[in-house]
Amino acid sequence: SSAASDVYKRQDLKMDVDIRKLYKADNEVKLTKLEFEILKILLQNPKKVFTREEILSHIWDSAGNFVNDNTLTVTMKRLRDKIGDKEGNIIVTVRGVGYRLSD
């Protein structure tokens, strides 16, 4: 049998890492590389609170170019808009620290 693919689910979101696609209620959501990487590390570590610095260092490595703090703020807002999370019910902002997935 083939190895299980990396699929992460949260609420009505489903991310298939192998084919780099995200679905919300079975509809594909087009994400930029940065948005995908941010959501991926959150989905892979559902209990962890990531500091902004940890997210920045992770996406800097994966995207191969520097991402500044302001870019992260804008990218998080766009990501939340795309996944229908304006209220922060999927990605929770931990004030003064960073972000985590909702329980």
Side-chain angles (χ1 to χ4, degrees):
S1 67
S2 62
S5 62
D6 287 336
V7 175
Y8 298 95
K9 294 180 180 166
R10 192 56 157 220
Q11 297 177 26
D12 62 349
L13 296 178
K14 184 176 98 174
M15 174 180 281
D16 189 322
V17 175
D18 293 344
I19 57 172
R20 297 194 67 80
K21 288 193 188 302
L22 177 74
Y23 300 93
K24 179 177 175 67
D26 296 327
N27 296 309
E28 187 180 344
V29 179
K30 295 280 188 202
L31 297 180
T32 65
K33 182 165 183 177
L34 273 183
E35 293 162 352
F36 190 91
E37 290 299 328
I38 292 171
L39 188 56
K40 184 173 91 176
I41 60 169
L42 291 170
L43 286 167
Q44 286 174 331
N45 304 275
K47 300 286 183 216
K48 180 171 166 51
V49 175
F50 282 91
T51 65
R52 294 176 65 84
E53 291 73 28
E54 283 174 317
I55 293 175
L56 284 168
S57 68
H58 183 89
I59 59 182
W60 183 5
D61 293 345
S62 68
N65 48 19
F66 181 67
V67 180
N68 68 26
D69 199 60
N70 186 51
T71 303
L72 177 59
T73 303
V74 171
T75 303
M76 286 304 267
K77 181 181 183 318
R78 283 207 200 109
L79 175 58
R80 280 181 162 147
D81 286 348
K82 288 183 181 182
I83 64 175
D85 187 33
K86 290 184 177 55
E87 307 300 314
N89 296 324
I90 301 171
I91 300 170
V92 179
T93 301
V94 182
R95 287 212 179 280
V97 183
Y99 303 95
R100 68 173 175 84
L101 274 190
S102 65
D103 293 327

